[in-house]
Amino acid sequence: MRTFVLKRLEDVSGISGIGLVAEGIEWSNGKVSLCWLGTYQTIEQADSMHVIEATHGHGGKTVVEWVS
């Protein structure tokens, strides 16, 4: 497994803010767990990093930074 954070450069929705907005884990089978920080703290499961980037990347306005 490896860990990552989502950093938002621009808040398109006006909900999550900018900067560090989520922490995540990509499991060895490719599945992803994403923990949102801030006011609306939820945990999300996705089938792949591709899904996370497609749904939360906002055309490059949110970036994935690998931690480990």
Side-chain angles (χ1 to χ4, degrees), residues 10-24:
E10 182 181 333
D11 186 5
V12 176
S13 67
I15 294 173
S16 58
I18 58 171
L20 179 64
V21 294
E23 301 169 327

Side-chain angles (χ1 to χ4, degrees), residues 1-3 7 10-11 17 20-22 24 29 32 39-40 42 45 51 54 58 60 66:
M1 68 178 202
R2 59 185 184 157
T3 58
K7 288 197 175 173
E10 182 181 333
D11 186 5
L20 179 64
V21 294
N29 64 0
V32 177
T39 303
Y40 303 103
T42 59
Q45 304 296 319
V51 172
H58 300 289
W66 294 99

Side-chain angles (χ1 to χ4, degrees), residues 17 34 52 55 58 61:
L34 187 63
I52 295 296
T55 56
H58 300 289
K61 295 180 176 111

Side-chain angles (χ1 to χ4, degrees):
M1 68 178 202
R2 59 185 184 157
T3 58
F4 65 93
V5 294
L6 285 187
K7 288 197 175 173
R8 186 138 297 152
L9 307 175
E10 182 181 333
D11 186 5
V12 176
S13 67
I15 294 173
S16 58
I18 58 171
L20 179 64
V21 294
E23 301 169 327
I25 299 171
E26 181 184 45
W27 300 100
S28 58
N29 64 0
K31 304 291 185 188
V32 177
S33 299
L34 187 63
C35 180
W36 288 95
L37 307 172
T39 303
Y40 303 103
Q41 298 180 0
T42 59
I43 295 177
E44 174 181 349
Q45 304 296 319
D47 283 337
S48 68
M49 281 303 295
H50 175 75
V51 172
I52 295 296
E53 292 171 330
T55 56
H56 301 301
H58 300 289
K61 295 180 176 111
T62 301
V63 295
V64 173
E65 288 189 5
W66 294 99
V67 176
S68 63

